[in-house]
Amino acid sequence: MPTRDVLTKADLAEFRRSALGTADPLGVAADIAEAVGQGRLEDPDDAGDALTLAAEIAQIRARPDAALRYADQALAAYPSADDPRAGVARALRARVMFQAGDRDDEAMAELTALRPLLLTQPDAPAYVSAALDAAGRSAIAERWLSEAVDSLLGERATAAGQAPADPEVGPPDAPGVLFLLLQQRHRVRRDLNLPHDRQDDLADRLENQLVRRAAERQGGGTDLLLWPRPEFDRLLAEHPELTDVYGPDWDAHRARLEKELVRLTGAGRSGLGVFRASVAGLDAFAGRRDGGPADAAVRAGYAAEVSARPSARVPWPPERNDTCWCGSGLKYKKDCLPRSRS
């Protein structure tokens, strides 16, 4: 894996996608940490994120000592522990401490310190609730998320002088903190088998609003979902009716995405990317909507849901000599770049 003298943002994104599928994920984590220590990052500001990635790999591979070491190094690499980007590393430290079995108080103190970020940071509802879920404390996650939602809705009511109408959700790639809070709360309550309440109703209404907005933005074009090769093969095997939507084979699928991204660039769009999708995710979304993957509205809704997850985003375009966005492992100039001209 990491063999380049200098690691770029694209390299780190590729390691995040593929490290766990390599023969030696822990070796990848060690190599990333070594590159940081030797100052071999193209952008030194990526040090904290790179070390957090190493910590995630170690935690998933059940190496708590290594995970804590990398997480501590990540926190030291950020300007301060209060840096918004440090939240993921701090939540990861809490997960590892929970797993140790004798550091629950330290883990809860770490997550409690992160709790105010639920009101301001779009990623915080996901990583805080995930840490609590992993420790069997989903009930605490539900309470924290509910209180954060109540706080934000209360601020809106105070500003409006009355109970306001449903808030406007942001664009599909940045729907806003309230939307993400509601969605995480909805998920946690569903996992806890709690009854649907008014905030769950609001989550559903905002999701419908996001679906409409995604459909309007899409305008009948490609939805920018990237189906990695194994997922694409499974998609067409289980849902052959989607061949016309996503392409008859993986090459055609990638070519459609590349051409759409080039078209959007020509139309003045910037900050583009694709979003990794999964068949299980699409099927689960369709089940919640009482529909099927063949329904265009269901697919638009799933695309909106996936595009709201920062972890699913793959930036586009990479540099010509960087690893291609599609996950093939080839250089962009040798893989998907020419597809826009085919």
Side-chain angles (χ1 to χ4, degrees), residues 36 63 69 86 149 162-163 192 231 235 242 247 263 275 309 318 336:
V36 174
R63 293 294 187 271
R69 182 172 68 254
V149 169
Q162 58 183 354
L192 290 171
E231 291 294 330
L235 180 72
L242 297 183
R263 184 190 71 79
F275 301 89
R309 302 176 194 150
C336 286

Side-chain angles (χ1 to χ4, degrees), residues 176-333:
V177 172
L178 178 60
F179 174 83
L180 295 170
L181 267 172
L182 284 163
Q183 292 301 309
Q184 285 298 323
R185 179 184 180 275
H186 201 14
R187 176 192 63 77
V188 171
R189 288 178 59 82
R190 193 163 54 239
D191 291 345
L192 290 171
N193 293 317
L194 295 176
H196 213 75
D197 66 4
R198 60 183 179 82
Q199 289 186 355
D200 292 321
D201 290 338
L202 177 58
D204 287 339
R205 292 198 300 274
L206 292 186
E207 183 178 309
N208 289 334
Q209 188 184 129
L210 191 67
V211 168
R212 290 194 300 272
R213 185 165 297 197
E216 291 168 1
R217 172 181 282 198
Q218 187 176 317
T222 303
D223 59 20
L224 300 184
L225 289 181
L226 167 63
W227 300 90
R229 182 62 179 269
E231 291 294 330
F232 184 84
D233 292 343
R234 179 183 171 189
L235 180 72
L236 294 196
E238 297 184 11
H239 303 292
E241 69 276 11
L242 297 183
T243 297
D244 290 341
V245 178
Y246 294 112
D249 54 49
W250 200 50
D251 286 343
H253 171 55
R254 293 181 292 163
R256 290 185 180 198
L257 287 172
E258 181 72 20
K259 290 175 180 177
E260 177 66 5
L261 290 161
V262 170
R263 184 190 71 79
L264 291 171
T265 299
R269 292 276 298 278
S270 61
L272 294 169
V274 295
F275 301 89
R276 290 188 298 274
S278 71
V279 178
L282 174 61
D283 288 344
F285 183 88
R288 296 197 302 273
R289 303 279 295 188
D290 295 324
D295 186 333
V298 167
R299 294 196 306 274
Y302 176 62
E305 180 180 78
V306 172
S307 66
R309 302 176 194 150
S311 61
R313 186 175 185 274
V314 181
W316 182 93
E319 296 294 327
R320 289 173 56 87
N321 287 313
D322 284 344
T323 305
C324 190
W325 55 265
C326 71
S328 67
L330 300 175
K331 289 184 177 180
Y332 179 47
K333 69 179 182 182

Side-chain angles (χ1 to χ4, degrees), residues 111-112 114-126 128-129 132 139-157 167 176-186 188-189 197-199 202 206:
L111 293 178
T112 299
L114 293 175
R115 189 176 175 184
L117 297 183
L118 294 174
L119 299 172
T120 59
Q121 296 298 320
D123 293 351
V128 170
S129 61
L132 290 167
I140 295 176
E142 195 274 338
R143 175 165 58 84
W144 286 9
L145 293 169
S146 294
E147 291 176 2
V149 169
D150 285 341
S151 178
L152 289 182
L153 291 177
E155 291 175 4
R156 285 176 47 81
V177 172
L178 178 60
F179 174 83
L180 295 170
L181 267 172
L182 284 163
Q183 292 301 309
Q184 285 298 323
R185 179 184 180 275
H186 201 14
V188 171
R189 288 178 59 82
D197 66 4
R198 60 183 179 82
Q199 289 186 355
L202 177 58
L206 292 186

